[in-house]
Amino acid sequence: MLDRRRFLSSGVTLGGAAVLNNRLFARIASAPAAIPSPALYDSDEDSYWAEIRKQFLIPEDEVFLNNGTVGSSPAPVLRAVFDAYNEIERMAPEDPEDYPMWGYGSPRPFNQFRDPVAVFVGCSREEIAL
């Protein structure tokens, strides 16, 4: 009988992860690249929401109701996140001092983004975490 330790060291898990990764990236690649036009919403709300639904990788026959914690992200968001991870992993920021580029403790703490969000939300810059 194969025990956990031998199973995990056998490489089967890595192969399975690679297959799942390929499927994930294929699904992201096949999703629409952008959200539908607001004009579609104005002319046909049902079609608009059907197009929005295509942005998510949730299987067609499932409804995701757990939006109170970590919800599903639409494909354009996933693409942006993966692109950012790829850029950071290459250690390719224009200014190496910005790595990691989380915005705090760096010479440029993203105040140009935090300030307008703070005004919009009605709080101070220090209360905004990006």
Side-chain angles (χ1 to χ4, degrees):
M1 178 172 191
L2 189 62
D3 65 18
R4 260 188 311 220
R5 182 166 291 158
R6 285 195 334 209
F7 172 75
L8 291 173
S9 65
S10 70
V12 171
T13 338
L14 294 175
V19 168
L20 290 176
N21 251 353
N22 288 339
R23 287 184 191 161
L24 171 67
F25 289 124
R27 291 190 62 206
I28 291 171
S30 68
I35 62 171
S37 164
L40 179 59
Y41 180 84
D42 294 337
S43 65
D44 185 355
E45 284 185 39
D46 289 337
S47 294
Y48 175 84
W49 290 113
E51 290 301 310
I52 289 288
R53 176 63 177 89
K54 292 176 187 175
Q55 295 285 332
F56 294 87
L57 305 183
I58 301 166
E60 293 283 329
D61 61 341
E62 291 183 22
V63 176
F64 186 78
L65 299 175
N66 187 19
N67 60 2
T69 54
V70 178
S72 179
S73 296
V77 171
L78 293 173
R79 284 186 199 104
V81 168
F82 294 150
D83 289 348
Y85 281 151
N86 283 332
E87 189 72 10
I88 288 170
E89 288 300 317
R90 291 184 317 116
M91 301 290 288
E94 197 172 293
D95 179 356
E97 294 300 316
D98 280 346
Y99 182 86
M101 303 180 320
W102 313 133
Y104 301 100
S106 71
R108 290 172 267 164
F110 293 153
N111 291 340
Q112 74 268 27
F113 305 114
R114 294 169 67 212
D115 289 340
V117 172
V119 169
F120 177 74
V121 176
C123 65
S124 71
R125 169 197 304 166
E126 290 72 28
E127 295 174 280
I128 299 294
L130 298 177

